[in-house]
Amino acid sequence: MRISNLHVLFVRMLLAVLGISPVQANPSLTLYKTPVSDTISSSVITAIHQDGIGFLWIGTQTGLYRLDGQNVDLFSATREEPYRLPVSDVRAITEDSQGNLFIATHGGGLLKWESLEKRFQRYQDPILEKQQYLTSVWIDSADNLWAFTESNIYVRYKYATKADDRLAKTSLPNAEKTVA
Protein backbone atom coordinates (compact mmCIF):
# COMPACT_ATOMS: atom_id res chain seq x y z
CA MET A 1 0.00 0.00 0.00
CA ARG A 2 1.33 3.40 -0.99
CA ILE A 3 1.40 5.94 1.84
CA SER A 4 0.80 9.41 0.47
CA ASN A 5 1.94 12.70 1.94
CA LEU A 6 -1.71 13.39 2.82
CA HIS A 7 -1.88 10.25 4.97
CA VAL A 8 1.34 11.22 6.77
CA LEU A 9 -0.02 14.75 7.29
CA PHE A 10 -3.33 13.36 8.59
CA VAL A 11 -1.53 11.13 11.13
CA ARG A 12 0.66 14.03 12.28
CA MET A 13 -2.39 16.28 12.68
CA LEU A 14 -4.22 13.58 14.62
CA LEU A 15 -1.24 13.09 16.93
CA ALA A 16 -0.99 16.85 17.45
CA VAL A 17 -4.70 17.10 18.32
CA LEU A 18 -4.30 14.27 20.81
CA GLY A 19 -1.22 15.96 22.28
CA ILE A 20 1.11 13.13 21.33
CA SER A 21 4.48 13.76 19.80
CA PRO A 22 5.79 11.03 17.49
CA VAL A 23 9.15 11.29 19.26
CA GLN A 24 7.66 10.63 22.71
CA ALA A 25 8.46 6.94 22.66
CA ASN A 26 8.28 5.14 25.99
CA PRO A 27 11.08 2.55 26.13
CA SER A 28 9.59 1.00 29.30
CA LEU A 29 6.32 0.13 27.52
CA THR A 30 5.68 -3.62 27.58
CA LEU A 31 3.15 -5.37 25.33
CA TYR A 32 1.43 -8.53 26.50
CA LYS A 33 -0.33 -11.18 24.47
CA THR A 34 -4.00 -11.58 25.38
CA PRO A 35 -6.65 -14.16 24.44
CA VAL A 36 -8.05 -11.55 22.03
CA SER A 37 -4.80 -11.65 20.03
CA ASP A 38 -5.45 -15.33 19.35
CA THR A 39 -8.97 -14.51 18.11
CA ILE A 40 -7.93 -11.90 15.54
CA SER A 41 -6.77 -13.81 12.48
CA SER A 42 -5.10 -10.89 10.71
CA SER A 43 -1.60 -9.70 11.52
CA VAL A 44 -2.50 -6.21 10.22
CA ILE A 45 -4.81 -3.96 12.24
CA THR A 46 -6.03 -1.04 10.14
CA ALA A 47 -8.41 0.72 12.56
CA ILE A 48 -9.40 0.78 16.24
CA HIS A 49 -12.42 2.58 17.70
CA GLN A 50 -14.26 2.43 21.03
CA ASP A 51 -17.88 3.42 20.52
CA GLY A 52 -20.15 5.34 22.88
CA ILE A 53 -21.61 2.10 24.30
CA GLY A 54 -18.17 0.73 25.14
CA PHE A 55 -17.63 -1.82 22.37
CA LEU A 56 -14.12 -1.93 20.98
CA TRP A 57 -14.13 -2.25 17.17
CA ILE A 58 -10.95 -3.50 15.47
CA GLY A 59 -10.66 -3.27 11.70
CA THR A 60 -8.33 -5.57 9.78
CA GLN A 61 -7.80 -6.64 6.18
CA THR A 62 -9.74 -9.82 6.93
CA GLY A 63 -12.73 -8.36 8.75
CA LEU A 64 -14.09 -6.23 11.57
CA TYR A 65 -14.02 -7.44 15.18
CA ARG A 66 -16.33 -6.20 17.95
CA LEU A 67 -15.19 -6.82 21.52
CA ASP A 68 -17.41 -6.33 24.56
CA GLY A 69 -14.90 -7.35 27.22
CA GLN A 70 -15.85 -11.02 27.17
CA ASN A 71 -16.95 -11.94 23.64
CA VAL A 72 -15.51 -11.26 20.21
CA ASP A 73 -17.79 -11.00 17.16
CA LEU A 74 -16.32 -11.14 13.65
CA PHE A 75 -17.96 -9.33 10.73
CA SER A 76 -16.56 -10.32 7.32
CA ALA A 77 -17.45 -11.13 3.71
CA THR A 78 -17.35 -14.85 4.48
CA ARG A 79 -19.91 -14.71 7.31
CA GLU A 80 -23.68 -15.06 7.14
CA GLU A 81 -26.12 -12.29 8.14
CA PRO A 82 -26.08 -10.43 10.47
CA TYR A 83 -22.25 -10.72 10.59
CA ARG A 84 -21.73 -10.19 6.86
CA LEU A 85 -19.81 -7.32 5.27
CA PRO A 86 -19.65 -6.68 1.49
CA VAL A 87 -15.86 -6.95 1.74
CA SER A 88 -13.56 -7.82 4.62
CA ASP A 89 -10.91 -5.13 4.11
CA VAL A 90 -11.72 -2.44 6.71
CA ARG A 91 -9.69 0.78 6.52
CA ALA A 92 -11.24 3.17 9.06
CA ILE A 93 -13.96 3.45 11.72
CA THR A 94 -15.67 6.60 13.02
CA GLU A 95 -18.78 7.50 15.00
CA ASP A 96 -21.07 10.51 14.87
CA SER A 97 -22.65 12.41 17.77
CA GLN A 98 -25.79 10.24 17.55
CA GLY A 99 -23.79 7.03 18.01
CA ASN A 100 -23.93 5.90 14.36
CA LEU A 101 -20.87 3.93 13.35
CA PHE A 102 -19.33 4.34 9.88
CA ILE A 103 -16.82 1.95 8.31
CA ALA A 104 -14.56 2.79 5.36
CA THR A 105 -13.73 -0.31 3.34
CA HIS A 106 -11.40 -1.07 0.47
CA GLY A 107 -13.72 -2.43 -2.19
CA GLY A 108 -17.07 -2.14 -0.42
CA GLY A 109 -17.40 1.61 0.00
CA LEU A 110 -18.80 3.31 3.06
CA LEU A 111 -20.86 1.22 5.49
CA LYS A 112 -23.14 2.34 8.30
CA TRP A 113 -23.96 0.22 11.36
CA GLU A 114 -27.72 -0.18 11.65
CA SER A 115 -27.99 -0.67 15.41
CA LEU A 116 -31.69 -1.61 15.39
CA GLU A 117 -31.14 -4.37 12.81
CA LYS A 118 -27.65 -5.08 14.19
CA ARG A 119 -26.03 -5.20 10.76
CA PHE A 120 -24.07 -3.08 8.31
CA GLN A 121 -25.64 -1.41 5.27
CA ARG A 122 -24.02 0.55 2.48
CA TYR A 123 -24.23 4.27 3.19
CA GLN A 124 -26.90 5.73 0.91
CA ASP A 125 -25.50 8.74 -0.92
CA PRO A 126 -25.71 9.23 -4.71
CA ILE A 127 -22.03 10.24 -4.99
CA LEU A 128 -20.33 8.51 -2.07
CA GLU A 129 -21.88 5.11 -2.79
CA LYS A 130 -19.92 5.08 -6.07
CA GLN A 131 -16.64 5.36 -4.16
CA GLN A 132 -15.78 1.74 -3.39
CA TYR A 133 -12.12 2.11 -2.38
CA LEU A 134 -11.98 4.33 0.70
CA THR A 135 -8.86 4.93 2.77
CA SER A 136 -10.49 6.77 5.68
CA VAL A 137 -13.68 8.33 7.01
CA TRP A 138 -14.22 11.00 9.64
CA ILE A 139 -17.15 13.03 10.98
CA ASP A 140 -16.36 16.46 12.36
CA SER A 141 -18.12 18.36 15.15
CA ALA A 142 -20.33 20.20 12.61
CA ASP A 143 -21.76 16.88 11.31
CA ASN A 144 -19.81 17.00 8.07
CA LEU A 145 -18.85 13.55 6.82
CA TRP A 146 -15.35 13.35 5.31
CA ALA A 147 -14.60 10.36 3.06
CA PHE A 148 -11.07 9.83 1.73
CA THR A 149 -9.95 7.86 -1.32
CA GLU A 150 -6.41 7.60 -2.65
CA SER A 151 -7.04 10.50 -5.01
CA ASN A 152 -9.94 12.53 -3.55
CA ILE A 153 -11.47 13.92 -0.39
CA TYR A 154 -15.27 14.14 -0.28
CA VAL A 155 -17.13 16.24 2.28
CA ARG A 156 -20.87 15.70 2.67
CA TYR A 157 -22.08 18.80 4.52
CA LYS A 158 -24.55 18.31 7.37
CA TYR A 159 -25.03 14.69 6.29
CA ALA A 160 -27.22 13.69 9.26
CA THR A 161 -29.84 16.43 9.02
CA LYS A 162 -29.52 16.97 5.27
CA ALA A 163 -29.81 20.69 6.06
CA ASP A 164 -27.15 21.28 3.42
CA ASP A 165 -27.07 18.94 0.42
CA ARG A 166 -23.73 20.07 -0.98
CA LEU A 167 -20.89 17.65 -1.56
CA ALA A 168 -17.39 19.06 -1.90
CA LYS A 169 -14.75 17.10 -3.77
CA THR A 170 -11.06 17.88 -3.59
CA SER A 171 -8.69 16.04 -5.89
CA LEU A 172 -5.25 15.18 -4.62
CA PRO A 173 -2.48 16.29 -5.01
CA ASN A 174 -3.77 19.21 -7.12
CA ALA A 175 -6.23 20.27 -4.38
CA GLU A 176 -8.70 21.44 -7.03
CA LYS A 177 -12.02 22.01 -5.22
CA THR A 178 -15.48 21.70 -6.74
CA VAL A 179 -18.89 21.75 -5.08
CA ALA A 180 -21.61 19.48 -6.44
Side-chain angles (χ1 to χ4, degrees), residues 23-34:
V23 295
Q24 291 178 333
N26 185 350
S28 64
L29 181 65
T30 305
L31 300 176
Y32 296 96
K33 189 173 182 176
T34 68

Side-chain angles (χ1 to χ4, degrees), residues 79-111:
R79 301 289 308 267
E80 297 297 321
E81 292 292 347
Y83 299 98
R84 184 162 183 78
L85 294 178
V87 296
S88 295
D89 194 349
V90 172
R91 296 299 173 99
I93 307 165
T94 194
E95 185 176 8
D96 68 11
S97 59
Q98 289 81 41
N100 296 307
L101 203 64
F102 292 85
I103 310 297
T105 69
H106 194 257
L110 184 61
L111 307 177

